[in-house]
Amino acid sequence: MHSDRAPLALKIAAAAGLAFMHLPILLIFVYAFTTEDKSYQWPPPGFTTKWIGVTWERPDVWEALSLSLKVAAISTGIALVLGTLCAAAVSRTRFFGREVVSLLVILPIALPGIITGISLRSAFHLADIPFSFWTIVLGHATFCVVVVYNNAVARFRRTSGSLIEASMDLGADGFQTFRYVILPNIATALLAGGMLAFALSFDEVIVTTFTAGQQQTLPIWMLEELVRPRERPVTNVVAMMVALVTLLPILGAYYLTRGTDTVAGQGK
Amino acid sequence: MTAAVRFSGVSRHYGDVRAVDDVDLSIAEGEFFAMLGPSGSGKTTCLRLIAGFEQPTAGEVSIFGESAHGVPPYRRHVNTVFQDYALFPHLNVIDNVSYGPMIAGTPKAERHRAAEDALEMVALPGYGSRKPSELSGGQRQRVALARALINRPRVLLLDEPLGALDLKLREQMQEELKALQRKLGITFVFVTHDQGEALSMADRVAVFNAGKIVQIGAPEDVYYRPEVPFVADFVGSSNVLPPHLVAKVTGQWRHGALRPEAVRLGDAGLGADGLHATVHSTAFLGAATRVSLDLEDLSMVALLPKGARIPQPGEQVHVSWAAEDLHMMEATE
Amino acid sequence: MSEHAIDPGRRGILPALSDLLWRNPRLVILLLLGPPALWLGIVYLGALFALLAQSFFSIDEFSGLIQYEFTLKTYRELFTPANFDIILRTVVMAASVTIAAAIVAFPIAYYAARYARGKWKALFYLGVMLPLWSSYLVKVYSWKLILAKEGILNWLFETLHLSWLLNAYLAIPVVGGNSLSVSATGTFLVFLYVWLPFMVLPIQAALERVPASMLEASGDLGATPGQTFRHVLLPLALPGVIAGSIFTFSLTLGDYIIPQIVGTSRRFIGQAVYAYQGTAGNIPLAAAFAVVPIVIMAIYLWAAKRMGAFDAL
């Protein structure tokens, strides 16, 4: 019998790896409260909540935030529809070319973001489409589809086909079956996929730089600050805010799919 | 009288695969009908053709005299108990059972009352608020039964409903299903690969092989009077004697079926012109002893009653039987 | 019984439509696939092919205008020493990040798959998912804080009286530099940090499929834990490592923000694409550069598929 105790070296390596993944982000939360405003001095000479107030008063931050939220909300909506349709089609039947569909959905995220970005930019240029809110949404929705698709496909796979047959057998037509059986069974997966898509869109910077024109989403605003720092403390606070805003949907998605798709393979 | 279910020249092909191949079938109203066969023999596809989950490639299925051509499952007064039960995981037991009435627009109080009655009928009263995941296999099976019966179907289809249950529970459910069917008078169509189950429950049995019905009849007929070697072997576990052996004894060039308990073993010196076999192995079964024999290329089984002399492995024995015990089948498969 | 065995069907548009769809399963597929296929197939693939097509055009050196004639001239430009240097640097970086990520990720994945149970398992899972999904820019920013001259890493070396060690390391050519934040090592650390979670999850998925009894069987047959690791565990985890490496490799190849913020001034492929399409206005060369990661990834994916890596995705 193997022992269920891990070797010490393994424990240390695993713990060190996890620490490496988490400590840097925690640092963001410390810096958001530092009194130092000219450099990234460590340890911080003192702590203050003053910069949160300063950030609160900044109209450019508010504008960027509201644009990011709007883009994320609409892109998520589009991705939910397209991703669910794709997942339903792929899981419903074995049809010719379903592999192609899977590949097509994954491609925008499998290829480096810069390629997606520059492709869209040159396509807008060729088609004489001016940059706008909608060009940003178009790019975001394209790579958000895959997140919804992955979540939905996993859930469709677990929802056995005989449930749909059982519903039809008991007198429900296609639409009633969707309303009373399919939707309740995939709802949490869709919600989880939608939340992740939202987080992905809210955070996206690479594709956005190519599709945004003059408008600034919050990540674009941050990127500007990173390349040419103007007011470091405000950037620190915005970084913390972004970390928090993306954290919530991730945790939400985790709790929604807990014990179903995600921790698969447990309890074998 | 109109047949409850009738197949006229029904085929279901998937590309080159002939899952169901030109089947004619008539199931009478109120009958307990079993479709028996090994997996892949087409019996489940036939069930799905009745339910409406599949469409025939050729031929026609009619239910109580009405053509089911192009009729989706939700417009057929036929309900199914699925092999995996297919209970809705997001609904509790009472909502599972009252799903049919809910779709039909029955008010909540009324359909819940009906569901309680249905649960009572399958001996699960008071289980309404549980989730399917909290039930045992046997209980899920009963819920699936109640859910299918609440709509008062004209035909109830059961797809290997007892397959997942353990032996004792299966025997108990066999009794209950039989009693339920008599009480309700609904036509039951039952798919199974277990010949014991088919024989003990059904009024009539259709034996499937390779997409075709090879024999159809009462359990005793199928068991004692197989028409083709496949039925003799699959249903009765009979010894199928090839024509050249049968010809040696009877002079007729036909396949013969010989039940193991009808095989007589004698001293090798007997009847020089008879059949001789070598004992391969023996197994004590309690009430009888099973002797496996090698007769030329043929493996045979004899079941010897208590008290008979049991030959040793390797021993040469003389094989015989009473003339009336050899059942003659068609000349060729 | 007077009741019909077959319903004539409810009246109305929806029930009629439902019947129609039920009789035509292909129509359902068509309706389901239509919108996403239009979006991804036309908008996305169309844009991608339009870009790739431009890599076969060239730019007039004097006028700066794009000449719409088929030529391989632009591709030849990729192999000039300066450009080839960029490609080589990026591929070497992507490869080292991938190898390092596999080494760091393995213990985490192994512990999570094999020893963590119940609550701990969930915690490990979240522990990988959170950094995976949290903001890319915030993650990069945190390293700008860490690697800064006055930042926590330098402070740590000073407090431990190890500054000489850091300086000695920074004196090494190629990997070193004036400070960590402007060295190739700095770029490497940020890449490793940002893409590490993408390596942990596939390895964990692959390891969870290895039944514990298989490891016991190996031990039972006389293998030392080291031998079991080498001959049983590692081969079985390899598809997971390869699946993870697809992410780390591809993401590093195409990134242009990390090397811009942390590292030397030497360019990576992503930066080259960005610069050529932007200020330089040389779309054909930018497109040709964009083809490089696609080709490298295509070769990589083809090799990975042959090794069965996609089963672990």
Side-chain angles (χ1 to χ4, degrees):
Chain A
M1 294 301 289
H2 82 98
S3 71
D4 254 350
R5 302 265 311 261
L8 187 66
L10 177 64
K11 272 188 184 169
I12 293 173
L18 276 182
F20 174 67
M21 283 201 280
H22 286 271
L23 290 183
I25 291 217
L26 291 179
L27 218 56
I28 294 280
F29 289 84
V30 178
Y31 271 98
F33 298 99
T34 183
T35 49
E36 169 63 46
D37 62 352
K38 289 282 177 293
S39 74
Y40 301 122
Q41 193 194 338
W42 184 272
F47 292 100
T48 172
T49 54
K50 165 181 136 193
W51 298 111
I52 294 181
V54 172
T55 310
W56 188 267
E57 301 295 326
R58 288 277 294 265
D60 56 334
V61 173
W62 279 110
E63 261 167 46
L65 177 66
S66 104
L67 179 65
S68 277
L69 290 176
K70 269 190 243 160
V71 167
I74 293 175
S75 307
T76 302
I78 296 172
L80 272 174
V81 174
L82 296 181
T84 311
L85 287 176
C86 248
V90 165
S91 56
R92 208 182 124 89
T93 29
R94 309 203 136 268
F95 62 91
F96 172 74
R98 49 183 266 155
E99 303 265 311
V100 177
V101 173
S102 298
L103 183 71
L104 190 60
V105 171
I106 291 165
L107 209 58
I109 206 146
L111 285 182
I114 190 164
I115 293 174
T116 306
I118 190 177
S119 304
L120 289 175
R121 187 189 186 97
S122 66
F124 293 149
H125 181 75
L126 288 175
D128 259 336
I129 299 171
F131 293 118
S132 70
F133 173 78
W134 292 104
T135 53
I136 307 179
V137 167
L138 195 118
H140 282 208
T142 303
F143 59 74
C144 283
V145 171
V146 66
V147 187
V148 177
Y149 172 81
N150 277 348
N151 269 270
V153 134
R155 185 64 62 87
F156 271 123
R157 211 174 279 151
R158 286 193 323 119
T159 308
S160 87
S162 64
L163 287 186
I164 293 167
E165 287 183 352
S167 168
M168 292 203 154
D169 188 65
L170 293 165
D173 67 25
F175 298 104
Q176 289 168 318
T177 298
F178 180 77
R179 159 90 178 72
Y180 293 113
V181 175
I182 300 176
L183 202 58
N185 271 296
I186 62 166
T188 50
L190 289 190
L191 200 55
M195 283 178 162
L196 293 178
F198 188 93
L200 193 64
S201 164
F202 184 79
D203 178 44
E204 214 289 329
V205 61
I206 294 191
V207 175
T208 319
T209 39
F210 292 98
T211 57
Q214 296 304 312
Q215 302 191 70
Q216 275 195 333
T217 61
L218 203 57
I220 299 271
W221 183 94
M222 258 195 83
L223 182 62
E224 293 272 306
E225 294 293 316
L226 255 89
V227 178
R228 280 177 293 277
R230 280 175 298 182
E231 216 168 348
R232 288 177 188 196
V234 174
T235 312
N236 291 340
V237 172
V238 170
M240 179 176 76
M241 200 170 74
V242 171
L244 285 175
V245 171
T246 43
L247 182 73
L248 294 177
I250 301 159
L251 284 177
Y254 169 73
Y255 280 104
L256 283 172
T257 52
R258 188 174 42 151
T260 56
D261 313 324
T262 49
V263 207
Q266 221 178 358
K268 277 180 293 202
Chain B
M1 203 169 98
T2 350
V5 176
R6 185 188 299 279
F7 278 39
S8 327
V10 170
S11 295
R12 180 69 176 99
H13 297 172
Y14 303 94
D16 288 341
V17 183
R18 301 174 166 210
V20 173
D21 197 16
D22 194 20
V23 164
D24 289 299
L25 174 67
S26 173
I27 301 172
E29 182 169 2
E31 198 172 19
F32 198 130
F33 192 86
M35 295 180 172
L36 173 66
S39 59
S41 60
K43 55 190 195 308
T44 301
T45 308
C46 278
L47 196 79
R48 294 171 59 79
L49 285 164
I50 305 173
F53 304 137
E54 307 269 352
Q55 289 293 293
T57 327
E60 189 172 72
V61 176
S62 58
I63 302 169
F64 283 94
E66 293 180 77
S67 168
H69 181 77
V71 177
Y74 49 86
R75 293 212 274 110
R76 302 181 182 203
H77 284 271
V78 170
N79 287 122
T80 309
V81 175
F82 289 83
Q83 187 172 11
D84 64 354
Y85 313 140
L87 299 180
F88 303 123
H90 61 292
L91 300 178
N92 63 18
V93 167
I94 199 98
D95 287 331
N96 259 286
V97 175
S98 56
Y99 187 85
M102 188 268 287
I103 292 296
T106 312
K108 193 167 190 170
E110 198 178 316
R111 67 174 189 253
H112 277 189
R113 205 159 41 240
E116 286 292 356
D117 291 345
L119 284 170
E120 189 121 19
M121 188 168 64
V122 296
L124 271 184
Y127 275 79
S129 58
R130 305 224 188 156
K131 279 282 173 95
S133 56
E134 296 164 0
L135 302 178
S136 71
Q139 289 169 333
R140 282 179 209 186
Q141 218 255 312
R142 287 160 191 268
V143 174
L145 197 57
R147 185 179 69 173
L149 285 171
I150 197 172
N151 280 355
R152 301 251 143 219
R154 302 294 302 272
V155 180
L156 183 75
L157 307 174
L158 303 106
D159 185 8
E160 304 249 6
L162 308 179
L165 305 181
D166 61 43
L167 184 64
K168 212 171 155 200
L169 204 54
R170 204 182 314 164
E171 284 171 353
Q172 186 193 339
M173 280 309 293
Q174 286 177 13
E175 300 280 322
E176 288 187 29
L177 275 178
K178 188 76 199 151
L180 201 62
Q181 194 264 340
R182 272 197 213 106
K183 194 176 113 192
L184 298 170
I186 294 175
T187 311
F188 274 33
V189 181
F190 183 95
V191 158
T192 181
H193 65 271
D194 182 326
Q195 62 274 33
E197 209 165 273
L199 297 178
S200 68
M201 294 168 75
D203 298 327
R204 275 200 310 152
V205 178
V207 184
F208 281 76
N209 186 32
K212 286 180 181 294
I213 295 181
V214 287
Q215 188 172 353
I216 189 162
E220 305 82 58
D221 285 340
V222 174
Y223 189 73
Y224 288 115
R225 286 174 287 282
E227 286 165 8
V228 291
F230 175 81
V231 176
D233 179 48
F234 185 76
V235 181
S237 320
S238 286
N239 296 301
V240 176
L241 304 183
H244 74 270
L245 273 183
V246 176
K248 248 190 199 173
V249 181
T250 67
Q252 283 178 285
W253 189 260
R254 308 262 298 262
H255 274 97
L258 187 63
R259 308 214 37 76
E261 57 269 29
V263 178
R264 290 185 203 151
L265 301 182
D267 196 75
L270 283 170
D273 56 337
L275 300 169
H276 288 84
T278 313
V279 176
H280 180 261
S281 63
T282 63
F284 176 64
L285 302 177
T289 299
R290 190 182 62 213
V291 181
S292 305
L293 304 157
D294 293 329
L295 198 162
E296 296 171 21
D297 292 344
L298 182 72
S299 296
M300 271 182 79
V301 176
L303 217 52
L304 300 183
K306 214 164 151 185
R309 192 189 76 84
I310 309 301
Q312 295 300 307
E315 203 178 315
Q316 282 279 322
V317 288
H318 176 257
V319 177
S320 63
W321 53 83
E324 70 270 19
D325 281 337
L326 180 68
H327 175 76
M328 303 291 241
M329 295 183 285
E330 297 166 1
T332 45
E333 268 254 66
Chain C
M1 275 187 244
S2 60
E3 200 189 336
H4 278 277
I6 285 172
D7 254 351
R10 275 159 289 211
R11 257 175 289 173
I13 296 171
L14 279 190
L17 189 59
S18 172
D19 285 13
L20 177 74
L21 292 177
W22 181 81
R23 286 190 199 109
N24 300 287
R26 283 201 187 138
L27 184 64
V28 179
I29 296 289
L30 205 68
L31 287 176
L32 289 174
L33 270 185
L38 280 181
W39 185 289
L40 292 171
I42 294 183
V43 176
Y44 179 70
L45 279 189
L48 201 59
F49 282 119
L51 175 75
L52 298 187
Q54 298 199 48
S55 67
F56 293 103
F57 299 146
S58 64
I59 198 154
D60 189 288
E61 278 164 40
F62 301 105
S63 63
L65 292 174
I66 297 171
Q67 291 180 315
Y68 294 97
E69 274 168 44
F70 177 83
T71 171
L72 289 175
K73 185 178 151 228
T74 315
Y75 278 101
R76 232 172 291 135
E77 250 180 87
L78 284 183
F79 293 96
T80 59
N83 288 340
F84 193 70
D85 205 35
I86 293 176
I87 295 172
L88 201 64
R89 179 179 309 114
T90 314
V91 172
V92 168
M93 178 60 86
S96 8
V97 168
T98 298
I99 293 166
I103 293 170
V104 179
F106 200 89
I108 306 174
Y110 185 50
Y111 191 93
R114 205 126 138 64
Y115 295 101
R117 287 284 167 271
K119 216 181 200 171
W120 278 101
K121 183 136 197 152
L123 214 63
F124 254 89
Y125 183 76
L126 257 181
V128 180
M129 280 308 268
L130 276 184
L132 176 85
W133 282 97
S134 55
S135 167
Y136 164 82
L137 271 183
V138 170
K139 281 187 278 192
V140 177
Y141 186 58
S142 72
W143 278 87
K144 196 171 164 117
L145 303 177
I146 291 170
L147 297 176
K149 261 207 167 74
E150 67 281 9
I152 187 167
L153 206 62
N154 274 314
W155 170 82
L156 211 62
F157 275 106
E158 264 168 46
T159 318
L160 299 171
H161 301 289
L162 288 171
S163 296
W164 56 271
L165 191 66
L166 181 63
N167 290 331
Y169 179 81
L170 286 174
I172 304 173
V174 184
V175 296
N178 274 336
S179 79
L180 271 178
S181 60
V182 292
S183 68
T185 307
T187 320
F188 167 80
L189 279 174
V190 183
F191 271 133
L192 175 63
Y193 172 72
V194 172
W195 308 138
L196 181 61
F198 290 89
M199 184 61 102
V200 179
L201 288 178
I203 299 184
Q204 189 183 336
L207 285 175
E208 292 207 329
R209 270 179 242 173
V210 181
S213 58
M214 197 181 276
L215 304 181
E216 283 160 23
S218 169
D220 205 48
L221 295 168
T224 64
Q227 284 169 322
T228 303
F229 180 83
R230 234 179 71 81
H231 296 294
V232 180
L233 204 57
L234 211 54
L236 290 170
L238 200 62
V241 176
I242 292 172
S245 71
I246 292 168
F247 291 109
T248 55
F249 203 79
S250 163
L251 289 166
T252 311
L253 276 185
D255 195 282
Y256 76 96
I257 286 180
I258 289 172
Q260 188 185 350
I261 290 169
V262 175
T264 62
S265 55
R266 293 199 183 90
R267 277 180 178 173
F268 282 74
I269 292 178
Q271 288 166 291
V273 175
Y274 187 72
Y276 282 123
Q277 68 85 36
T279 43
N282 191 344
I283 298 273
L285 188 55
F289 255 115
V291 170
V292 174
I294 298 180
V295 169
I296 294 175
M297 281 320 293
I299 296 170
Y300 197 94
L301 289 175
W302 176 77
K305 192 166 178 129
R306 291 193 52 141
M307 293 178 77
F310 292 107
D311 309 333
L313 274 175

